[in-house]
């Protein structure tokens, strides 16, 4: 799934087989998105932020060849843990001295066996009452380690968007027998998400509080009514009073009023 990191808009959703790597077809999707962006805005600066499921050399190489800045989490391994060993020791000493959670950040150059060169890795060492925690992020950004790691951590907002898509628009209901049919169903779910998210953004702009899409669906869409399709118009008949009436009124103002 690809979202615009600044606006939260869903860009695309691609189905993959359960026995393939999470990064399967990701470079192909990136190529298509990047080409469309640069066709419309030739000078646009593009940046990629992704979780460890996309930590593969093919993505690093493509981004570097295309001048795309990237920040991607790394799956922890013994070499990375060893790299962060001294920093974890410092964090442990700070925690023992202050009895408060200690979070320290640093960076180093790292080269996996499948990489043609060393790349910058920023890492966090955290010690708290529950135990220790070490996380690693590969990036071509120039920020200081703490700033860069916190930039990556804000990717967590994308998890809420995924939750909205998967749970509240039922995007995981892919029960067709053929793979291509399920991909088409996923695109239909994506279209539904776009429509509902557009309504939500209109309501937020009108002063309404932000709602999850399932709440919005219950209050705005699942309303008893009658639809009359005429030769030149579609007429929607709703009750004078119902729980979602205030939302309909807000949408009417956002769209400049509903007209017969």
């Amino acid at each position: 799934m690809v979202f615009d990191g600044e606006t939260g808009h869903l860009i695309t959703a691609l189905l993959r087989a359960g026995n393939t790597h999470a990064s399967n077809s990701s470079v192909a999707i990136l190529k298509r998105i990047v080409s469309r962006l640069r066709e419309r805005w030739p000078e646009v600066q593009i940046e990629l932020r992704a979780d460890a499921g996309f930590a593969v050399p093919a993505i690093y190489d493509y981004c570097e060849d295309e001048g795309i800045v990237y920040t991607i989490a790394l799956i922890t391994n013994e070499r990375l843990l060893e790299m962060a060993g001294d920093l974890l020791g410092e964090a442990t000493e700070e925690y023992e001295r202050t009895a408060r959670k200690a979070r320290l950040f640093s960076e180093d150059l790292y080269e996996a066996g499948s990489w043609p060169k060393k790349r910058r890795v920023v890492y966090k060492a955290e010690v708290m009452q529950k135990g220790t925690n070490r996380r690693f992020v590969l990036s071509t950004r120039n920020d200081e380690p703490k700033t860069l790691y916190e930039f990556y951590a804000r990717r967590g907002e994308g998890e809420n968007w995924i939750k909205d898509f998967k749970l509240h628009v039922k995007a995981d209901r892919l029960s067709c027998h053929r793979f291509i049919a399920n991909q088409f169903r996923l695109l239909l779910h994506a279209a539904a998400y776009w429509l509902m998210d557009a309504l939500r953004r209109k309501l937020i702009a009108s002063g309404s509080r932000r709602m999850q899409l399932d709440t919005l669906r219950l209050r705005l869409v699942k309303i008893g009514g009658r639809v009359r399709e005429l030769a030149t118009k579609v007429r929607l008949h709703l009750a004078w009073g119902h729980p979602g009436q205030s939302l309909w009124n807000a949408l009417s103002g956002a769209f400049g009023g509903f007209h017969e």
Side-chain angles (χ1 to χ4, degrees), residues 45-214:
Q45 297 296 313
I46 301 173
E47 184 165 353
L48 173 69
R49 180 171 56 186
D51 63 26
F54 300 91
V56 293
I59 292 183
Y60 313 149
D61 294 340
Y62 171 75
C63 288
E64 290 167 4
D65 291 342
E66 292 295 323
I68 298 172
V69 176
Y70 62 83
T71 302
I72 303 174
L74 288 175
I75 298 174
T76 303
N77 59 45
E78 290 301 322
R79 286 183 59 198
L80 290 171
L81 293 176
E82 183 180 355
M83 178 190 298
D86 292 342
L87 190 67
L88 181 63
E90 294 178 29
T92 301
E93 292 177 2
E94 180 179 328
Y95 174 75
E96 292 174 348
R97 184 177 67 256
T98 63
R100 299 174 60 184
K101 181 171 68 173
R103 298 172 73 238
L104 300 179
F105 302 86
S106 188
E107 65 178 288
D108 208 336
L109 294 177
Y110 172 76
E111 182 180 358
S114 58
W115 299 1
K117 62 181 180 181
K118 293 183 178 180
R119 294 181 167 106
R120 183 192 185 206
V121 172
V122 165
Y123 49 93
K124 174 189 75 170
E126 187 175 42
V127 181
M128 49 192 156
Q129 185 177 6
K130 294 181 179 180
T132 62
N133 180 29
R134 284 168 285 183
R135 292 289 184 268
F136 303 85
V137 174
L138 181 71
S139 182
T140 54
R141 289 173 66 99
N142 296 321
D143 304 295
E144 292 296 318
K146 182 176 184 294
T147 302
L148 193 151
Y149 187 87
E150 290 175 345
F151 164 78
Y152 170 76
R154 289 196 294 275
R155 189 203 61 81
E157 177 63 21
E159 299 295 337
N160 295 326
W161 304 333
I162 294 173
K163 179 181 177 182
D164 247 2
F165 182 68
K166 182 178 179 180
L167 299 182
H168 303 149
V169 191
K170 310 299 182 183
D172 59 345
R173 295 183 64 177
L174 306 171
S175 54
C176 292
H177 294 292
R178 292 190 301 156
F179 185 89
I180 191 66
N182 284 320
Q183 173 61 71
F184 181 67
R185 288 185 65 162
L186 186 65
L187 292 177
L188 292 178
H189 287 295
Y193 178 93
W194 256 94
L195 290 171
M196 294 299 293
D197 190 44
L199 292 177
R200 175 169 60 187
R201 291 169 187 272
K202 285 288 187 181
L203 287 171
I204 292 173
S206 69
S208 300
R209 65 178 180 85
R210 188 183 190 280
M211 289 175 281
Q212 293 183 161
L213 293 187
D214 58 339

Side-chain angles (χ1 to χ4, degrees), residues 207-223:
S208 300
R209 65 178 180 85
R210 188 183 190 280
M211 289 175 281
Q212 293 183 161
L213 293 187
D214 58 339
T215 303
L216 186 63
R217 184 179 70 249
L218 287 172
R219 295 188 60 189
L220 191 67
V221 179
K222 297 189 72 173
I223 299 171

Side-chain angles (χ1 to χ4, degrees), residues 233-235 252 255-260:
K233 67 186 72 174
V234 174
R235 185 166 289 170
S252 175
F255 284 102
F258 297 135
H259 303 286
E260 293 188 1

Side-chain angles (χ1 to χ4, degrees), residues 9-59:
H9 283 299
L10 173 65
I11 296 177
T12 192
L14 181 70
L15 190 65
R16 65 174 179 85
N19 59 357
T20 61
H21 193 271
S23 65
N24 186 49
S25 300
S26 56
V27 172
I29 289 294
L30 280 174
K31 288 180 178 179
R32 180 172 176 81
I33 293 172
V34 169
S35 65
R36 294 292 296 276
L37 288 173
R38 288 181 170 162
E39 179 183 344
R40 182 70 178 272
W41 301 286
E43 304 301 323
V44 69
Q45 297 296 313
I46 301 173
E47 184 165 353
L48 173 69
R49 180 171 56 186
D51 63 26
F54 300 91
V56 293
I59 292 183

